[in-house]
Amino acid sequence: MNMISETRQKSLLYLENVSVSFDGFKALNSLSFVVEPGELRAIIGPNGAGKTTMMDIITGKTRPDTGTVLFEDTIDLTKRDEADIAQLGIGRKFQKPTVFESHTVWDNLELALNRSRGVFATLFYTLSAEDKARIEEILETIRMTHRKNEYAANLSHGQKQWLEIGMLLAQEPKLLLVDEPVAGMTDAETAETAVLLKEIAKTRSVVVVEHDMGFIRELGVKVTCLAEGSVLAEGSIDFVSNDPKVIENYLGR
Amino acid sequence: MISGFVFRALEGRIVAAVGILLGIGILVPALNLLTPPDSAIHIPTYAMALFGKYLCYALLALALDLVWGYCGILSLGHGAFFALGGYAMGMYLMRQIGPRGVYGNPILPDFMVFLNYKELPWFWHGFDWFIFAMAMVIVVPGLLAFIFGWFAFRSRVNGVYLSIITQAMTYALLLAFFRNDMGFGGNNGLTDFKDILGFSVQADGTRAVLFFMSALMLSLCLILASAIVRSKFGKVLVGVRDAESRVRFLGFRVENIKLFTFVVSAMMAGIAGALFVPQVGIINPGEFAPANSIEVVVWTAVGGRGTLIGPIIGAILVNGGKSFFTGAFPEIWLFALGGLFIAVTLFLPKGIVGTIQHGLKARHALKAAADAEKGRGDATTVAQAQAAE
Amino acid sequence: MTSKVAFRVLQSLGLLLCLIFSLAAPSFAQQTDPKPLIDALSKADFGEAEKLIGQLAATGDARLVPALNAFSEGDLYFRKSDNLVFIGKAAGSNYELTDPVTGASAGQTAKNAVTKIKINNSLRRVIRSAMGGLTLLSPDRGVRLQAADAVLRSPSAENLELLETAISKETDGEVKARMVEARAVSLLSSDRSIDEKRTAIQTIKNYGGRNAIGILMGASAGLDPSLKGDVDAAIASIESGQRLWDIGQNVWYGVSLGSVLLLAAIGLAITFGVMGIINMAHGEMVMLGAYSTFVVQQLIRDHAPGLFDWSLAIALPVAFLVTGAVGLVVERGVIRFLYGRPLETLLATWGVSLILQQTIRSIFGPTNQEVGNPSWMSGSFPVGGMTITWNRMWIIAFSLSIFVALLVVMKKSSFGLNMRAVTQNRRMASSMGIKTPWVDAFTFALGSGIAGIAGVALSQIDNVSPNLGQSYIIDSFMVVVFGGVGNLWGTLVGALSLGVLNKFLEPSVGAVLGKILVLVLIILFIQKRPRGLFALKGRAVEA
Ligand SMILES: Nc1ncnc2c1ncn2[C@@H]1O[C@H](COP(=O)(O)OP(=O)(O)O)[C@@H](O)[C@H]1O
Ligand SMILES: [Mg+2]
């Protein structure tokens, strides 16, 4: 009891005993999982382990059948919808890069900027010098200043991933959920992405889902391995990759 | 703030379009009124009325484009908003007939006398007052759109499901307005109008003013639509169309965005209907027919959805074609219209204006790529600098 | 040989019977020549004509039926020169005259040489009951039954004696029952004793049904006040029995409407529900099926009239092939380019629907085409207090069998298996060697073909015109969406429940408002359950 309340006080994100099933198939099975403020966490696991489903639950896309999901110890995320949760400060990058293809890179970032999002506020919005500076700063961070007037549709796959990360930065979230960011990237791009994520994690918590073990190693952070909807092992990358259950369930395959 | 909103709207193409529309709005009535009938440049009244009708259709198409082209909501029920606006105007015009009806009843319109109404139904009160009626022209369609959209968008009815229930909505209204005891003239609708604001609806002068008003309202709505589309809200709108969940996860309330747009669009459709009725002289339940609403979709598609000028051009072209065909080869019209539906979706998915714009965009992309090539040098240095950190 | 002998025997028996009757029934005793009575019509006013018709009826001479019929149709004329009455038929600028009793031709005459004998509705009523009386003794069972029905519809005391003789002679149970009922009804307006009337009221009560209430109410005004209590009790008793039957009848109407909806929607359940194609031309496929029926019937009428009762059975495969082929062409020509773009598919298929409509309109014209009901589709039979028409009965049976057949195809056949494989996981299916484009094409053709079959059935209850399909398209989509996309059982339940709901709303709010309410309810329902009654959950459907 005591232990739990102690962890709860410090956590940014807290999941306990979360289960969800689709047509009888248990995608998450009593999953418990905690993220500390300022932490960079990696999640691995075989396909269908429930990693994306977990993100769906945190961001309000899917409602859990049972379980607790708390943000900053007090806010019950299962009662909120996607827009609410985003405004609370949880950003999410999808597995498949999702940017606004018919907008320019600049406009994509401008839309993501953490400003009032009401109908009339957006109707009468004009770009302030401050917002402009912020966008330019993000452009620098994601290394796309030279492409700011390009339509997002014309970007390469890797660049779209980066743009999406940039949009999340513009959102200024406290917690960033990143689903398979380096899928389909070249080795050089992968390395740069690792640098970028570490950079970002200096100012906020980040949860990264990834298959690429090299990438995880490069991040060098605590790793959680999911399988069949619950946590299999948790710890440093070396600890997890030597766990016999992990080898059998994931790495061995 | 507001001035910025409006100022943004006045981008080159829109200014040109408004200029042309207002030019037509003045020139056509002038040629109708000021030139002798046998003059080569005289525009006969029937042609002016016909073209006035096209302008109303263009406004309806513009309204549909705002929700379909920019927000991805394919409404198959926009004819309903158009018809409701039309009925509001029709009710005003009915009340203006006064004792000049066949039965000479000063209060009750003819059809009510015929159907043995003892007194005016409550929802007819106030429609003798122009300002009130004009308010209803936008309030009633707006309210219907609000109620409908409030339910539909909140429960995330999307895509074809939404299209199907909008169609069911206009179909239900069609059935309802056919009933005599709805109090809207049943089958025959509202007609035999006499005057508007004291001027005879048949008079050339009145028709000229109505024509000008159609051009003016179309221009104003075009500016409004342009202001919406070019604002940050407009960009969000396109975001909703292309990647709805991204917008949601960025923290926007998609249902409110859709609702606002749907209501504004319904109001525009209502205005179009209100201008349409005095120019054609009748409004009947046929305007609610689902087929009408679908036809609006094809005007918009032909001209180019997601472009503001496109639907206006599309509405005028298709309806011009319709007037020509139904006069010259009535048999062929449905073949032509059906073929147009198929051809546009298969071969011209962006529509006329959209295809042209796409060409321009491609040029823009080439230019941007060239710029990027120039900038590549410093970008790599930035990356290296950061990697070194 | 034997049949001939039997015929003779019957004939003489009939003659004998007639003789006996003419002795027994006083009205038959004066076997008067009817001709003078008919000729007297030429000078009679309406009142006199009514009396004359009564006298004609009293002759019991069945040969008079055509004349009475002609009179009622306004085809009875008298020659101005001699005031003789004839049946006249227009033949060019002349009239073709026939003798009203014997039916012998009496040559042609100029139009202005004869005058039409005037007729009005109250006379028509009298004529109808007179004819009823005259045909009650016909040797043809069907004619007797119709006659009894005719008397039931317009009872008159004058038929009473005739009815009684007819009843005593009648051997057929159903006809006799009908006659007894007709007698009871006729008796109420006669001058028979109160006790006899009281029994008649009981008889009517025992038959029950909506009509009985109407009859009793109609008769009660003219009845002796002492009978009022009996009438009221009888009405109350019929009503309480009828209430249950009414519910049953409503359910029946609902199921019958539901089966029509099912027919219209079931093809859509495949194209929209399984393949996700918004086929706005679905209604036109139904329409093509109905026109196929029309064409098949035309051909049968021209070349093999004997096969008419088989026309629907022949039309079924024809309609299936025709609409299936059209579906195949539409899929290959248009839809296949639009997979994954549902809204565009909607527009393109709407275009297809306009073209199909106009094609049919150009070939067959815009008006309704006459599609006949084979004999086994017409008529009705009573079940307790409800009436069941054969065509509805067949349509329910038919739509259910199509449903079952489709279910079997989907679940059991290898084509069904391929089809489900493709819709569930296109990429995997194609890598397993299934030719996905052809599965798509044939699935669409199957859905269209079934719409065509539905058209065959709907041609029996609806107007066959180029607009036929338009009236079904919205309802069909409602059914599929309401029932849950991708689920045949959902379509079945959706169709039946919408049908029944509609019919239960109808009595209280009227047909149109009922329909509007159902639409509004569905719209609200979709808000609550966007995926319908029997929704499939999961990512596949969301995508
Ligand atoms: N909305 C849904 N409907 C049905 N099944 C789902 C849904 N979301 C996830 N699943 C199922 O849950 C399992 C976990 O999926 P997912 O979370 O995407 O795994 P991962 O991201 O770890 O590869 C998968 O088998 C998937 O098919
Ligand atoms: Mg995943």
Side-chain angles (χ1 to χ4, degrees):
Chain A
M1 258 337 285
N2 223 352
M3 283 247 324
I4 289 181
S5 61
E6 247 166 59
T7 31
R8 284 182 62 160
Q9 267 158 24
K10 293 196 273 145
S11 69
L12 178 68
L13 179 69
Y14 177 89
L15 272 73
E16 187 186 350
N17 273 329
V18 175
S19 299
V20 68
S21 54
F22 301 105
D23 298 325
F25 174 84
K26 269 213 180 254
L28 289 186
N29 193 0
S30 311
L31 175 77
S32 299
F33 177 76
V34 181
V35 179
E36 316 286 330
E39 187 185 356
L40 172 57
R41 173 76 66 91
I43 296 182
I44 57 171
N47 260 331
K51 305 179 298 286
T52 302
T53 307
M54 184 189 81
M55 295 204 168
D56 284 348
I57 289 199
I58 299 169
T59 51
K61 181 161 185 254
T62 304
R63 300 261 171 249
D65 298 339
T66 56
T68 322
V69 184
L70 295 181
F71 185 60
E72 296 184 320
D73 289 338
T74 46
I75 305 163
D76 182 356
L77 293 183
T78 60
K79 301 262 180 316
R80 311 281 186 125
D81 68 2
E82 298 100 314
D84 258 349
I85 292 174
Q87 291 185 12
L88 283 173
I90 299 183
R92 172 174 186 186
K93 204 198 84 55
F94 297 108
Q95 190 163 341
K96 177 171 168 278
T98 315
V99 294
F100 303 122
E101 307 226 327
S102 34
H103 286 317
T104 59
V105 169
W106 181 282
D107 283 346
N108 267 282
L109 293 174
E110 183 183 317
L111 287 186
L113 221 48
N114 183 21
R115 296 293 171 265
S116 172
R117 296 174 178 93
V119 167
F120 294 98
T122 47
L123 268 177
F124 301 118
Y125 172 86
T126 37
L127 189 68
S128 64
E130 182 199 344
D131 291 356
K132 206 169 159 206
R134 175 79 185 122
I135 293 176
E136 273 160 1
E137 188 188 329
I138 296 169
L139 279 170
E140 286 294 308
T141 317
I142 58 171
R143 290 141 217 188
M144 291 183 85
T145 312
H146 60 293
R147 309 206 70 173
K148 64 181 178 191
N149 290 326
E150 187 89 63
Y151 285 104
N154 301 334
L155 298 179
S156 72
H157 179 82
Q159 284 168 326
K160 282 182 191 167
Q161 301 268 37
W162 279 41
L163 174 57
E164 199 177 358
I165 294 174
M167 291 166 73
L168 296 184
L169 287 179
Q171 224 182 314
E172 291 167 20
K174 296 173 185 151
L175 171 64
L176 202 56
L177 306 173
V178 190
D179 204 348
E180 307 201 9
V182 299
M185 280 189 178
T186 62
D187 285 353
E189 281 173 329
T190 305
E192 280 190 38
T193 307
V195 174
L196 178 63
L197 283 179
K198 276 195 277 189
E199 174 77 26
I200 292 170
K202 284 180 186 158
T203 47
R204 65 203 81 228
S205 302
V206 179
V207 175
V208 189
V209 165
E210 197 38 78
H211 278 297
D212 186 330
M213 292 307 277
F215 177 76
I216 302 277
R217 233 170 249 289
E218 213 155 311
L219 288 179
V221 294
K222 186 170 169 188
V223 176
T224 302
C225 179
L226 289 190
E228 311 215 330
S230 40
V231 176
L232 209 59
E234 204 166 76
S236 75
I237 179 73
D238 294 321
F239 174 78
V240 169
S241 52
N242 287 324
D243 187 311
K245 277 185 293 177
V246 175
I247 293 173
E248 181 196 340
N249 262 294
Y250 177 43
L251 299 173
R253 294 208 272 186
Chain B
M1 195 168 77
I2 306 260
S3 65
F5 175 68
V6 177
F7 186 72
R8 253 197 311 271
L10 299 173
E11 169 252 16
R13 224 170 325 167
I14 300 296
V15 174
V18 168
I20 294 174
L21 281 173
L22 291 181
I24 292 175
I26 293 168
L27 192 65
V28 169
L31 289 180
N32 171 252
L33 293 178
L34 303 180
T35 58
D38 51 1
S39 154
I41 52 167
H42 178 76
I43 293 184
T45 306
Y46 82 85
M48 181 169 73
L50 192 65
F51 201 70
K53 202 170 88 170
Y54 296 168
L55 291 180
C56 298
Y57 285 150
L59 180 50
L60 175 57
L62 175 69
L64 180 74
D65 187 38
L66 201 56
V67 286
W68 183 35
Y70 287 91
C71 195
I73 303 170
L74 176 52
S75 163
L76 296 182
H78 253 51
F81 304 127
F82 181 83
L84 286 175
Y87 265 96
M89 176 59 105
M91 287 161 80
Y92 165 76
L93 294 170
M94 284 313 262
R95 297 297 311 274
Q96 295 308 298
I97 296 174
R100 287 170 294 173
V102 177
Y103 295 104
N105 188 312
I107 307 284
L108 298 183
D110 276 348
F111 77 87
M112 292 194 193
V113 181
F114 183 74
L115 293 171
N116 287 323
Y117 276 68
K118 292 287 161 279
E119 53 186 34
L120 208 58
W122 60 267
F123 46 84
W124 273 77
H125 286 284
F127 275 93
D128 48 338
W129 187 28
F130 186 73
I131 303 290
F132 177 81
M134 291 312 102
M136 288 302 126
V137 161
I138 54 175
V139 168
V140 174
L143 198 65
L144 175 66
F146 183 84
I147 296 171
F148 187 89
W150 198 84
F151 283 113
F153 301 140
R154 203 145 296 254
S155 43
R156 303 198 186 167
V157 181
N158 256 337
V160 292
Y161 289 88
L162 193 84
S163 304
I164 291 171
I165 62 169
T166 50
Q167 189 176 38
M169 172 191 81
T170 191
Y171 184 56
L173 283 168
L174 169 77
L175 294 176
F177 273 74
F178 263 121
R179 288 160 46 87
N180 277 332
D181 36 5
M182 275 286 283
F184 295 107
N187 220 340
N188 303 321
L190 310 175
T191 186
D192 290 335
F193 307 133
K194 297 280 188 280
D195 45 37
I196 177 167
L197 286 172
F199 302 98
S200 163
V201 285
Q202 302 296 342
D204 282 359
T206 319
R207 290 181 160 278
V209 172
L210 283 169
F211 183 90
F212 174 74
M213 285 307 294
S214 307
L216 180 67
M217 290 315 291
L218 178 56
S219 304
L220 291 179
C221 288
L222 179 60
I223 294 173
L224 175 67
S226 166
I228 291 177
V229 166
R230 267 163 247 287
S231 70
K232 183 174 174 186
F233 179 86
K235 292 176 187 165
V236 179
L237 214 52
V238 172
V240 170
R241 180 191 72 190
D242 293 345
E244 179 171 331
S245 57
R246 181 75 277 169
V247 177
R248 239 182 249 287
F249 286 110
L250 284 179
F252 291 96
R253 301 227 80 95
V254 170
E255 55 276 17
N256 293 353
I257 294 165
K258 287 184 174 174
L259 189 57
F260 176 82
T261 317
F262 196 54
V263 170
V264 168
S265 165
M267 289 174 165
M268 284 187 187
I271 296 175
L275 285 163
F276 174 83
V277 167
Q279 298 190 67
V280 299
I282 184 168
I283 174 80
N284 62 26
E287 294 298 331
F288 286 104
N292 283 16
S293 296
I294 297 186
E295 231 177 272
V296 185
V297 174
V298 88
W299 308 337
T300 312
V302 166
R305 71 184 119 129
T307 70
L308 293 173
I309 316 280
I312 297 177
I313 295 178
I316 294 174
L317 280 185
V318 177
N319 280 294
K322 180 176 189 171
S323 301
F324 170 74
F325 271 116
T326 44
F329 321 96
E331 286 269 299
I332 301 202
W333 167 240
L334 278 186
F335 285 128
L337 186 64
L340 195 61
F341 268 100
I342 299 173
V344 166
T345 45
L346 287 185
F347 306 118
L348 207 63
K350 294 187 166 61
I352 298 170
V353 175
T355 307
I356 297 171
Q357 269 183 15
H358 186 70
L360 295 177
K361 255 191 191 178
R363 259 180 39 200
H364 169 99
L366 276 181
K367 207 169 125 262
D371 287 354
E373 205 53 51
K374 257 193 296 160
R376 174 115 324 147
D378 31 285
T380 13
T381 29
V382 171
Q384 278 159 358
Q386 288 199 339
E389 247 175 55
Chain C
M1 270 310 282
T2 37
S3 68
K4 237 183 194 161
V5 174
F7 185 61
R8 280 273 151 74
V9 173
L10 270 179
Q11 220 176 20
S12 35
L13 247 172
L15 260 176
L16 199 72
L17 277 172
C18 278
L19 248 164
I20 295 172
F21 280 131
S22 52
L23 292 177
S27 54
F28 278 63
Q30 335 112 12
Q31 186 56 281
T32 42
D33 178 13
K35 188 80 171 81
L37 287 174
I38 293 185
D39 286 338
L41 284 172
S42 61
K43 293 181 294 275
D45 60 22
F46 285 141
E48 290 160 356
E50 192 173 328
K51 284 202 198 85
L52 285 169
I53 294 167
Q55 286 167 355
L56 282 171
T59 62
D61 192 337
R63 289 178 306 167
L64 292 171
V65 171
L68 288 174
N69 214 349
F71 189 14
S72 150
E73 298 289 315
D75 287 337
L76 213 54
Y77 298 85
F78 67 86
R79 197 149 61 200
K80 287 179 190 160
S81 52
D82 51 13
N83 283 347
L84 289 182
V85 173
F86 295 95
I87 298 174
K89 279 268 175 283
S93 57
N94 286 344
Y95 279 120
E96 175 89 52
L97 299 184
T98 47
D99 186 279
V101 183
T102 62
S105 170
Q108 292 203 346
T109 179
K111 279 198 171 164
N112 56 11
V114 294
T115 307
K116 178 184 280 193
I117 301 177
K118 288 206 181 58
I119 177 86
N120 65 8
N121 275 342
S122 83
L123 268 188
R124 284 202 183 90
R125 229 178 85 89
V126 178
I127 291 175
R128 210 174 326 125
S129 72
M131 290 205 301
L134 286 178
T135 42
L136 279 172
L137 296 170
S138 159
D140 184 333
R141 175 184 179 278
V143 173
R144 294 200 306 276
L145 196 62
Q146 271 179 7
D149 278 338
V151 179
L152 249 180
R153 258 178 276 122
S154 50
S156 98
E158 275 152 41
N159 289 324
L160 207 49
E161 283 161 10
L162 195 59
L163 266 171
E164 280 161 355
T165 27
I167 290 170
S168 65
K169 178 198 155 192
E170 188 57 63
T171 50
D172 184 291
E174 190 189 344
V175 180
K176 189 165 191 159
R178 203 72 56 89
M179 285 179 170
V180 169
E181 196 182 357
R183 172 183 173 269
V185 174
S186 302
L187 198 143
L188 288 184
S189 53
S190 72
D191 46 10
R192 297 283 176 94
S193 75
I194 291 202
D195 277 343
E196 256 183 292
K197 288 188 179 174
R198 190 163 285 145
T199 354
I201 292 174
Q202 285 306 314
T203 314
I204 297 171
K205 186 193 94 176
N206 292 341
Y207 280 101
R210 279 257 154 266
N211 285 340
I213 297 180
I215 288 165
L216 287 174
M217 297 236 241
S220 74
L223 282 179
D224 192 282
S226 66
L227 284 174
K228 190 160 171 3
D230 293 74
V231 173
D232 289 348
I235 290 180
S237 134
I238 298 172
E239 271 180 347
S240 71
Q242 189 63 32
R243 207 157 294 141
L244 257 180
W245 285 115
D246 278 353
I247 294 179
Q249 181 87 62
N250 253 340
V251 171
W252 171 257
Y253 286 146
V255 169
S256 137
L257 174 64
S259 70
V260 171
L261 291 176
L262 178 64
L263 269 177
I266 197 159
L268 204 65
I270 294 185
T271 51
F272 178 49
V274 178
M275 303 179 77
I277 296 173
I278 315 294
N279 180 17
M280 294 302 272
H282 175 77
E284 277 58 43
M285 301 294 177
V286 175
M287 185 258 300
L288 286 183
Y291 272 89
S292 307
T293 318
F294 169 71
V295 172
V296 166
Q297 285 198 349
Q298 276 319 89
L299 290 177
I300 288 181
R301 278 208 187 95
D302 290 351
H303 301 292
L307 287 177
F308 192 77
D309 271 356
W310 292 95
S311 61
L312 293 189
I314 298 169
L316 280 183
V318 173
F320 184 80
L321 291 178
V322 168
T323 51
V326 172
L328 200 64
V329 170
V330 170
E331 201 277 345
R332 287 286 89 187
V334 179
I335 292 174
R336 73 168 156 142
F337 302 109
L338 299 172
Y339 281 116
R341 289 155 67 197
L343 297 182
E344 270 90 346
T345 317
L346 189 157
L347 292 184
T349 50
W350 177 262
V352 171
S353 87
L354 292 183
I355 291 176
L356 290 177
Q357 265 178 52
Q358 186 59 38
T359 308
I360 291 296
R361 200 171 287 129
S362 301
I363 300 176
F364 295 94
T367 50
N368 292 346
Q369 299 296 345
E370 171 73 23
V371 172
N373 295 26
S375 58
W376 46 271
M377 286 282 283
S378 19
S380 65
F381 60 95
V383 172
M386 8 193 298
T387 336
I388 288 182
T389 50
W390 277 110
N391 60 2
R392 293 285 167 171
M393 179 80 194
W394 282 116
I395 281 179
I396 292 178
F398 182 66
S399 61
L400 289 181
S401 30
I402 289 191
F403 176 78
V404 172
L406 200 59
L407 217 53
V408 171
V409 168
M410 299 277 281
K411 291 267 147 69
K412 295 279 178 326
S413 76
S414 72
F415 174 66
L417 208 67
N418 284 350
M419 194 160 106
R420 281 184 298 148
V422 169
T423 50
Q424 274 161 21
N425 194 333
R426 174 170 299 271
R427 197 147 358 113
M428 193 181 292
S430 92
S431 66
M432 284 168 56
I434 298 174
K435 292 202 171 52
T436 53
W438 284 106
V439 173
D440 286 335
F442 281 105
T443 310
F444 192 79
L446 175 69
S448 306
I450 287 178
I453 291 186
V456 177
L458 296 182
S459 74
Q460 295 297 303
I461 53 170
D462 205 341
N463 295 328
V464 178
S465 78
N467 300 328
L468 172 78
Q470 293 285 294
S471 45
Y472 288 103
I473 185 73
I474 293 187
D475 287 340
S476 317
F477 269 109
M478 289 292 128
V479 166
V480 176
V481 168
F482 177 70
V485 172
N487 188 324
L488 278 183
W489 287 100
T491 306
L492 175 73
V493 176
L496 292 185
S497 47
L498 287 185
V500 172
L501 179 65
N502 225 321
K503 286 298 168 187
F504 271 86
L505 282 173
E506 242 171 50
S508 44
V509 297
V512 178
L513 206 56
K515 198 159 179 181
I516 297 172
L517 277 180
V518 169
L519 282 175
V520 172
L521 282 179
I522 297 178
I523 292 177
L524 290 179
F525 178 84
I526 293 177
Q527 324 273 354
K528 273 272 147 250
R529 299 193 59 148
R531 308 263 162 233
L533 267 185
F534 298 91
L536 295 176
K537 268 210 255 169
R539 271 182 198 162
V541 236
E542 272 168 38

